[in-house]
Amino acid sequence: LPLVTVVTPNAKELEFLLDLEPHTLKSAKDLQEAATQFALRYKSCSVLAKGGHLNTKCLDVFVSNNSSYSLTLPQSLVAPSEVHGTGCVLSSAIAGAIARGEAILDAVVVAKALCAEAIACAENPSLGCQGPPPAAVPSRWPDLEDLSTSQQTFPEF
């Protein structure tokens, strides 16, 4: 992974990549420990471990340069269980924000907000990448100044 800047595995993918038994990652603490282990193994990249499959209220863990942050969404923005395609949207939005010149953590925060906005606007979230209505795609990138999460200091584990 020497050319990778950020990886965005969900819990199942992280278990596979770390050769862990299936269903080993069950909590936010497990996810943070696995993300840290991955980051230590592949020092050249940051990790956004996605915890949506863990029923953790859309908790993601970001690990980079020996720092870790928990990123959550307000309960009102948590996607229904049948939502589809959010991982693809999230990773693409992170890549786009980095290409715009955002710092990696800022890119992750902006991408998570963009993804949440797309979910909130979707008429049928289960369609995911199969063709959401135009209203499901935000008309602009969220600005960091617009995001209350960017003004907070994320707690370290």
Side-chain angles (χ1 to χ4, degrees):
L1 296 169
L3 299 177
V4 175
T5 302
V6 182
V7 293
T8 60
N10 62 35
K12 286 183 178 182
E13 293 164 340
L14 199 51
E15 288 169 342
F16 177 81
L17 292 167
L18 292 173
D19 296 320
L20 300 173
E21 291 293 321
H23 310 293
T24 301
L25 304 179
K26 297 179 181 180
S27 68
K29 183 179 179 189
D30 294 342
L31 190 66
Q32 190 273 332
E33 289 172 357
T36 300
Q37 182 181 354
F38 189 92
L40 289 172
R41 184 179 294 179
Y42 302 102
K43 296 180 186 339
S44 64
C45 67
S46 299
V47 182
L48 176 64
K50 301 175 299 183
H53 295 89
L54 297 178
N55 297 320
T56 56
K57 298 182 183 173
C58 216
L59 168 78
D60 297 337
V61 175
F62 179 73
V63 178
S64 181
N65 299 326
N66 298 321
S67 296
S68 64
Y69 305 88
S70 61
L71 306 169
T72 58
L73 292 174
Q75 183 62 33
S76 62
L77 293 179
V78 174
S81 61
E82 72 276 0
V83 74
H84 174 76
T86 55
C88 298
V89 171
L90 181 66
S91 60
S92 297
I94 291 169
I98 291 171
R100 284 182 359 148
E102 303 285 354
I104 296 172
L105 179 58
D106 291 342
V108 167
V109 171
V110 167
K112 192 160 170 82
L114 182 82
C115 193
E117 188 174 341
I119 292 167
C121 294
E123 291 177 18
N124 187 351
S126 64
L127 289 178
C129 296
Q130 298 175 1
V137 179
S139 60
R140 66 176 181 84
W141 280 88
D143 289 323
L144 284 175
E145 294 79 32
D146 295 342
L147 303 174
S148 61
T149 55
S150 68
Q151 305 303 318
Q152 300 173 7
T153 302
F154 295 107
E156 290 196 27
F157 286 91

